[in-house]
Amino acid sequence: QVQLAESGGGLVQAGGSLRLSCVASGLTFSNYAMGWFRQAPGKEREFVAGISWTGGIRYYADSVKGRFTISRDNAENTVYLQMNMLKSEDTGVYYCAAESRDYDVGHFENEYDYWGQGTQVTVSS
């Protein structure tokens, strides 16, 4: 049974930082591209960042470029999202997702095979 478990969310002031983690189990982690998505209240879930299975390809939404960094540790079956210079508009539930792909990274929800339950990030202004 595949499980993705996010952690690291919380309440932070604008300008602050958080580091999200997602630990995967039940799959061969190094065979999967990984992504982070978020859903703000009343809005559609959106792509935030993605990383290929080797870590050599990374994509970011324009709204987070230069502030967020995605990384992965295949030995620990973990993907991270370092979030700096947080803004109120970054508030939402953050989900990690796994995509069975041996090259490149998907940007759309329907490209991903497995999802975590999400972790809440709240940025106060």
Side-chain angles (χ1 to χ4, degrees):
Q1 182 181 357
V2 175
Q3 290 189 325
L4 302 178
E6 303 97 335
S7 62
L11 174 63
V12 64
Q13 288 189 329
S17 297
L18 283 174
R19 188 194 197 202
L20 305 184
S21 300
C22 171
V23 179
S25 60
L27 52 72
T28 304
F29 185 70
S30 58
N31 288 353
Y32 285 78
M34 299 296 295
W36 285 98
F37 289 74
R38 69 186 180 190
Q39 187 167 21
K43 294 188 176 181
E44 298 285 320
R45 190 155 56 181
E46 63 176 358
F47 174 82
V48 174
I51 187 167
S52 63
W53 63 284
T54 64
I57 299 172
R58 307 182 193 197
Y59 292 122
Y60 298 93
D62 287 343
S63 58
V64 306
K65 279 180 183 175
R67 300 188 298 121
F68 289 12
T69 302
I70 188 170
S71 60
R72 65 189 294 160
D73 184 339
N74 286 349
E76 297 293 330
N77 285 6
T78 303
V79 62
Y80 303 97
L81 186 67
Q82 177 67 44
M83 305 186 295
N84 299 329
M85 296 182 287
L86 282 161
K87 305 176 181 180
S88 57
E89 51 262 45
D90 295 318
T91 293
V93 179
Y94 282 69
Y95 300 89
C96 74
E99 175 192 24
S100 178
R101 185 195 287 249
D102 59 3
Y103 182 75
D104 212 349
V105 182
H107 288 65
F108 302 101
E109 290 186 60
N110 61 7
E111 295 180 281
Y112 286 78
D113 303 291
Y114 303 105
W115 292 82
Q117 293 298 308
T119 185
Q120 176 70 44
V121 171
T122 303
V123 183
S124 62
S125 56

